[in-house]
């Protein structure tokens, strides 16, 4: 789930020379027949579970956030909702369905994806390869940045990788990458150089004229960097070795604090969703007698909310909220 912005590397071939992880990820995910662009596949939902797929409560929460932005902008005649790394457009459809009809009628929904528009996609959604310039509204990127290709370093050297996943030491890290490491991931050991993600996020934010830009992802901050990194793969619902041959997702957690621009707020998903009305509280037991069907529905919603906000799970995701010409959220 990524946007255009980096030239696609050549498709890996057997016995190809090792390359840096950024080049390998670009090819494996977005090159010819790459994991995210090959036609006819199940899309991200067929390989891993995201908040979008866990419950419609998530789309409802994003809809309420869009309503906040709409009020901040004075209820414009056109309100943009830009989903960066939109997958098959599931979040956009869910948000449009959750909005009041009078608001949904003003929304321009943009799916930003490098893959072709899938058959049967919601006709209300515009399918584009990059965010529209000058958007006014909400730019939302759910689990996009973790798939923006990046370099891996170990003990001060780039890590090279072959198509079968075999790693070897490369040249010494220098220049802008070295400066990024010194500022954001100091020390020896293995590190994931997030500079490309900082630049990708800054580029997405620049397309927004007024509103909020929100990135949601597996995340860590400077004080909690994992000593051995987080690079991994996913295929058919299972975590697998990150082999960059196009057969699996290749992903790494995001240094969201490095991505944050001026005025940005970092908040855990459990806190953000609570502010947007998502609660895992069980319905009162008395409701089981007075309204059995309603009780069952409320109990199911509570279970879904609990998954979205769980510690050690989706609730630990980070939300990077960047205001552009509006008040910060949460205030």
């Amino acid at each position: 789930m990524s946007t255009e912005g980096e030239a696609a590397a050549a498709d890996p071939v057997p016995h190809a020379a090792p390359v840096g992880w950024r080049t390998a990820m670009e090819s494996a995910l977005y090159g010819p027949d790459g994991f995210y662009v090959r036609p006819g596949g199940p899309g991200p939902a067929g390989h891993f579970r995201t908040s979008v797929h866990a419950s419609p409560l998530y789309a409802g929460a994003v809809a309420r956030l869009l309503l906040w932005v709409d009020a901040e902008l004075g209820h414009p005649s056109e309100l943009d909702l830009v989903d960066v790394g939109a997958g098959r457009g599931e979040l956009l459809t869910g948000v449009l369905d959750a909005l009041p009809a009078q608001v949904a009628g003003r929304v321009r929904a943009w799916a930003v994806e490098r893959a072709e528009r899938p058959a049967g996609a919601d006709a209300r959604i515009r399918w584009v390869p990059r965010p529209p310039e000058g958007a006014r509204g909400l730019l939302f990127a759910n689990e996009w940045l973790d798939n923006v290709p990046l370099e891996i370093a170990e003990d001060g050297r780039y890590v090279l990788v072959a198509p079968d996943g075999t790693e070897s030491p490369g040249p010494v890290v220098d220049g802008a990458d070295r400066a990024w490491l010194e500022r954001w991931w100091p020390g020896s050991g293995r590190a994931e150089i997030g500079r490309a993600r900082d630049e990708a996020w800054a580029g997405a934010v620049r397309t927004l004229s007024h509103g909020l830009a929100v990135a949601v992802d597996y995340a860590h901050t400077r004080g909690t960097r994992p000593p051995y990194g987080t690079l991994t793969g996913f295929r058919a619902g299972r975590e697998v070795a990150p082999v960059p041959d196009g057969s699996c997702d290749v992903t790494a957690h995001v240094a969201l604090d490095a991505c944050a621009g001026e005025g940005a707020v970092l908040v855990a998903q459990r806190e953000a969703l609570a502010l947007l009305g998502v609660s895992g509280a069980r319905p009162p037991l008395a409701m089981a007698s007075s309204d059995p069907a309603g009780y069952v529905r409320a109990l199911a919603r509570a279970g879904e909310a609990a998954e979205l906000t769980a510690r050690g799970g989706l609730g630990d995701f980070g939300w990077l909220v960047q205001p552009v010409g509006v008040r910060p959220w949460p205030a």
Side-chain angles (χ1 to χ4, degrees):
M1 290 186 290
S2 185
T3 62
E4 288 187 347
E6 301 173 19
D11 198 31
V13 296
H15 312 299
V19 296
W21 265 106
R22 184 175 178 182
T23 298
M25 287 179 68
E26 176 67 30
S27 178
L29 299 180
Y30 309 113
D33 201 35
F35 182 79
Y36 277 117
V37 300
R38 68 171 63 101
H47 296 279
F48 48 85
R49 186 173 175 82
T50 73
S51 299
V52 175
H53 309 122
S55 170
L57 294 175
Y58 192 75
V62 176
R64 287 188 285 277
L65 184 58
L66 181 59
L67 290 174
W68 183 91
V69 174
D70 184 39
E72 284 291 302
L73 297 178
H75 309 290
S77 59
E78 292 184 325
L79 178 65
D80 290 302
L81 175 59
V82 183
D83 185 3
V84 185
R88 295 297 188 265
E90 302 96 330
L91 178 60
L92 287 171
T93 296
V95 172
L96 290 170
D97 289 345
L99 288 169
Q102 66 272 24
V103 178
R106 293 189 284 111
V107 170
R108 296 190 300 179
W110 306 86
V112 183
E113 262 296 344
R114 291 172 69 168
E116 294 295 323
R117 183 187 185 97
D122 193 319
R124 296 172 293 180
I125 298 173
R126 297 163 168 84
W127 209 266
V128 293
R130 61 186 65 84
E133 294 290 339
R136 292 173 57 87
L138 176 63
L139 182 146
F140 203 85
N142 185 74
E143 295 193 51
W144 168 54
L145 287 173
D146 65 290
N147 286 128
V148 172
L150 81 175
E151 298 287 7
I152 307 295
E154 191 162 347
D155 297 327
R157 291 184 174 274
Y158 290 107
V159 176
L160 306 182
V161 62
D164 64 0
T166 302
E167 293 185 340
S168 57
V172 172
V173 178
D174 59 7
D177 283 344
R178 180 175 178 178
W180 190 94
L181 283 176
E182 290 174 349
R183 180 178 181 185
W184 294 109
W185 202 318
S188 59
R190 189 174 174 97
E192 293 146 4
I193 305 173
R195 184 173 64 86
R197 293 167 171 188
D198 299 355
E199 294 170 354
W201 179 243
V205 172
R206 280 195 298 270
T207 66
L208 193 61
S209 170
H210 290 81
L212 282 184
V214 181
V216 183
D217 234 309
Y218 301 97
H220 45 65
T221 56
R222 194 176 187 277
T224 60
R225 302 285 188 236
Y228 304 107
T230 61
L231 188 72
T232 191
F234 285 95
R235 183 193 304 118
R238 299 181 60 186
E239 188 169 6
V240 297
V243 178
D245 62 358
S247 67
C248 67
D249 181 27
V250 180
T251 178
H253 293 196
V254 183
L256 277 182
D257 53 339
C259 296
E262 184 178 355
V265 176
L266 287 173
V267 60
Q269 172 155 299
R270 72 179 67 87
E271 299 166 5
L273 292 183
L275 291 169
L276 293 168
V278 177
S279 170
R282 294 169 63 91
L285 189 57
M287 186 179 177
S289 300
S290 62
D291 182 7
Y295 178 77
V296 171
R297 289 192 297 270
L299 197 61
R301 287 194 299 271
E304 293 172 2
E307 180 181 3
L308 289 172
T309 58
R311 293 186 182 276
L314 295 175
D316 289 346
F317 273 47
W319 281 43
L320 169 59
V321 185
Q322 181 77 54
V324 179
V326 299
R327 291 181 301 147
W329 186 97

